[in-house]
Amino acid sequence: MPGGVTLGSIFAVLIPVGLVTVLLRWLPFGFVKALKGSQFISMLGFTMPVGVMTVLVVYTLFS
């Protein structure tokens, strides 16, 4: 390890980074589970794929 870097300082950075990463990856699934059956989620399921494809096509054509 480089000078001045201890195992404790490495863990002090890696543990919070790991926790935040897991939390941010879990949040969308938690929201969908909590809102299952709502009109908002069904509207997103219908419009989001079309919107994503539109953005990708426009980006591809103009860049």
Side-chain angles (χ1 to χ4, degrees):
M1 282 188 271
V5 177
T6 64
L7 194 57
S9 64
I10 292 172
F11 285 130
V13 171
L14 288 181
I15 290 173
V17 167
L19 290 174
V20 168
T21 300
V22 169
L23 177 68
L24 289 177
R25 289 179 180 250
W26 173 83
L27 274 175
F29 297 103
F31 282 130
V32 168
K33 187 176 181 180
L35 297 174
K36 193 169 192 167
S38 73
Q39 284 184 331
F40 178 70
I41 293 297
S42 63
M43 186 263 313
L44 276 180
F46 181 73
T47 59
M48 197 168 173
V50 175
V52 169
M53 288 306 296
T54 303
V55 168
L56 289 173
V57 168
V58 169
Y59 180 80
T60 301
L61 292 175
F62 293 105
S63 62

